[in-house]
Amino acid sequence: MVQLRVMTDDHGEGEEVLALLEPLLQACTALVVSEPTELHHRGGGLRVVYTVLPAPNATTVRVQVERDDPPAGPARGAGRRTPVRAPRRQALPPGS
């Protein structure tokens, strides 16, 4: 059984992603997609699972999607600090 899971601690962001993802899954004729199952999470957030199977006699279709990013303007980037990334761990020496 193949499952697709949408999991996030930000419920609102998860709902936004599902609003974009669900129509794509339902429109795909090469897949049979189950109804979504919402799992409960103690800390809130969102957990949704779909069971996905190839459709009988499905043919592979190439799909190309292009990003449509909003233009970066003064309100988007000015005055904001670049997020600080955690330093990467160094690999252990051989034989450790």
Side-chain angles (χ1 to χ4, degrees):
M1 171 173 42
V2 177
Q3 292 184 332
L4 296 177
R5 294 178 179 230
V6 176
M7 302 172 69
T8 179
D9 290 332
D10 184 338
H11 193 275
E13 184 179 53
E15 289 291 340
E16 287 181 42
V17 169
L18 286 177
L20 297 168
L21 181 63
E22 284 182 335
L24 296 173
L25 289 173
Q26 298 304 327
C28 181
T29 58
L31 295 173
V32 176
V33 182
S34 72
E35 290 296 316
T37 301
E38 189 165 343
L39 306 175
H40 298 286
H41 182 46
R42 282 185 284 193
L46 184 72
R47 306 286 186 266
V48 178
V49 179
Y50 298 88
T51 300
V52 183
L53 299 169
N57 302 319
T59 57
T60 303
V61 178
R62 182 185 164 113
V63 176
Q64 182 174 341
V65 178
E66 294 183 23
R67 291 180 64 147
D68 187 17
D69 292 332
R76 187 171 186 205
R80 287 192 171 171
R81 290 182 36 198
T82 303
V84 177
R85 293 187 180 185
R88 289 184 160 202
R89 292 186 193 176
Q90 293 185 1
L92 294 173
S96 294

